[in-house]
Amino acid sequence: MTEPRRVKEPKWLLRKPDPEAAARLFCFPYSGCGASMYHRWPRRIGEVEVCLVQLPHRESRVREPHYGTYEELARPLMDYLLPFLDRPFGFFGHCGGALPGVELAIQLHEAGLPVPRQLFLSSQVAPQDGPFGRFLDMTDDELAVQLRELITSLGGTPDPRLVQLGLELLKKDLAANRQYHRAEPVVLPSGITVIGWTKDQEIPVDLMGGWKAWSRDCRQVLLEGEHYDFLHAPQALLDVFSAGLSPSAGSA
């Protein structure tokens, strides 16, 4: 008799969370990338463990189909992460990577489940003001140029085959971004920290004011740097996470 084939559990996190961590920061990848984009980040920021979210159709999950929309992505991810939401936690995402965390927070809230203590939203407009960004209207050739720049920023070499694979993923991620719009803000019990960058040419900080309608505790910080500088884990960014999540910091 043939044994039933075991279905592999999706690997939604690059590393298994530490059961001793005081708090957790779940980081979502930038459009067109996987969790390894955070390879320059520390595993811990003081008391806060950095947990890297690995989405389908990239890197270790390249054979899996794309998630489709942020709404469709949030449902299975919520089920997987629930055991790890047993202590203070936050979500971080930059540009297109911010929106999956927002939708996940909405679905957690609507289900009556634990919600992030803090949403850290970098270089992204609020959903009622989107979709927004010049990447959304670029041709394949223009997107390929951006991909080569991103691969170089990550410390890699933009091999043509790698660029082509990344382009197909990026187009699907951007399609999800284009489809995401909420006509009315959802007031979340989470705090929101809106992060802008002084030299960011993609999403100027003055376009991100719409997030104020999403939380009674919304603050904005402006950090020195360009659009991709978050990849280098600048100390000023790490300090923002510590202030918002560390239990000893007395976060609300």
Side-chain angles (χ1 to χ4, degrees):
M1 183 176 178
T2 306
E3 291 187 8
R5 184 179 178 184
R6 293 183 179 180
V7 179
K8 276 191 173 183
E9 184 181 17
K11 294 182 178 179
W12 286 101
L13 294 174
L14 205 61
R15 301 184 291 263
K16 187 176 181 180
D18 180 357
E20 303 301 321
R24 295 183 175 124
L25 176 67
F26 295 93
C27 300
F28 291 80
Y30 189 87
S31 296
C33 295
S36 67
M37 65 176 285
Y38 289 105
H39 72 276
R40 292 191 178 117
W41 282 41
R43 291 198 172 199
R44 283 183 180 270
I45 304 166
E47 301 169 283
V48 182
E49 180 184 19
V50 175
C51 300
L52 306 181
V53 178
Q54 185 69 290
L55 302 183
H57 204 57
R58 65 207 73 212
E59 295 182 349
S60 59
R61 303 182 66 183
V62 69
R63 297 185 183 277
E64 298 178 42
H66 193 269
Y67 55 79
T69 66
Y70 298 147
E71 291 87 348
E72 293 168 327
L73 168 66
R75 293 165 200 152
L77 182 53
M78 178 171 62
D79 291 340
Y80 181 88
L81 289 183
L82 190 57
F84 308 118
L85 308 183
D86 58 346
R87 63 207 63 200
F89 69 95
F91 294 156
F92 169 77
H94 177 85
C95 201
L99 298 175
V102 171
E103 179 58 29
L104 179 56
I106 292 171
Q107 294 197 25
L108 286 167
H109 176 51
E110 291 177 343
L113 296 171
V115 297
R117 172 179 286 185
Q118 198 78 207
L119 290 168
F120 301 95
L121 308 174
S122 174
S123 296
Q124 182 55 262
V125 302
Q128 73 271 21
D129 298 326
F132 179 85
R134 65 188 184 96
F135 286 6
L136 301 177
D137 298 316
M138 284 185 177
T139 65
D140 285 6
D141 288 343
E142 290 169 332
L143 287 173
V145 171
Q146 297 298 319
L147 265 179
R148 285 191 283 270
E149 181 181 337
L150 177 57
I151 291 168
T152 301
S153 297
L154 289 167
T157 301
D159 178 271
R161 291 172 298 177
L162 183 61
V163 171
Q164 186 58 40
L165 285 172
L167 179 60
E168 296 307 313
L169 171 62
L170 178 58
K171 288 163 64 175
K172 292 176 182 177
D173 284 358
L174 290 176
N177 192 307
R178 278 189 211 95
Q179 294 179 68
Y180 195 65
H181 176 81
R182 284 185 173 263
E184 299 294 332
V186 178
V187 181
L188 296 170
S190 308
I192 291 180
T193 300
V194 180
I195 302 168
W197 301 84
T198 57
K199 300 175 185 176
D200 193 340
Q201 300 299 311
E202 306 300 336
I203 310 285
V205 68
D206 57 2
L207 296 182
M208 294 190 281
W211 290 113
K212 293 177 182 177
W214 283 70
S215 173
R216 294 181 179 86
D217 176 20
C218 182
R219 63 199 71 180
Q220 188 176 87
V221 297
L222 184 62
L223 304 183
E224 183 68 28
E226 300 180 358
H227 189 67
Y228 291 129
D229 282 355
F230 78 100
L231 293 168
H232 304 282
Q235 187 60 49
L237 179 59
L238 303 186
D239 290 343
V240 170
F241 298 143
S242 292
L245 273 185
S246 293
S248 62
S251 303

